[in-house]
Amino acid sequence: MALSVEAVRRIALLARLQLTSSEETAFAEQLGHLLEHFERLAALDTDAVEPTAHVVAMEPLYRDDVVTNPPAEDDLRANAPARDENFFKVPKIIE
């Protein structure tokens, strides 16, 4: 599929690029070649191909969510300046 220089100018305008006339001509040729490759890919019959997210079949790398180091509640409260049984005591801030 040949791409015109006018189409390249429009693309450059949308991308906010300033191209010289030689760059416009070169890009028209290069983008035309890319579009030809996409046309060839679009012509392939992919009905029998199963959709995949990854080329290699992989098992999920999940593990069971098991607590291996349970918190020692008494040790956590040991450094509290004031406590009331299982609670931290803090100064009243609203009067």
Side-chain angles (χ1 to χ4, degrees), residues 31-69:
L31 291 172
H33 288 302
L34 282 172
L35 292 175
E36 287 174 13
H37 289 293
F38 282 114
E39 284 179 351
R40 278 192 253 158
L41 289 173
L44 294 175
D45 181 23
T46 58
D47 292 336
V49 178
E50 186 177 328
T52 59
H54 200 280
V55 183
V56 179
M58 296 177 65
E59 294 294 321
L61 301 176
Y62 299 120
R63 59 175 171 77
D64 291 334
D65 192 13
V66 178
V67 177
T68 58
N69 58 342

Side-chain angles (χ1 to χ4, degrees), residues 1 3 8 23-34 36:
M1 172 181 188
L3 196 66
V8 172
E23 288 174 330
E24 290 172 350
T25 307
F27 286 142
E29 183 180 336
Q30 292 172 4
L31 291 172
H33 288 302
L34 282 172
E36 287 174 13

Side-chain angles (χ1 to χ4, degrees), residues 7-19:
V8 172
R9 285 184 187 137
R10 174 141 174 81
I11 293 168
L13 177 69
L14 292 171
R16 305 293 193 261
L17 298 174
Q18 293 180 349
L19 301 176

Side-chain angles (χ1 to χ4, degrees), residues 74-94:
D74 290 330
D75 293 340
L76 292 173
R77 288 188 295 266
N79 291 332
R83 42 177 216 187
D84 182 14
E85 294 182 18
N86 291 334
F87 301 100
F88 295 107
K89 281 186 160 181
V90 296
K92 184 177 179 180
I93 57 170
I94 299 175

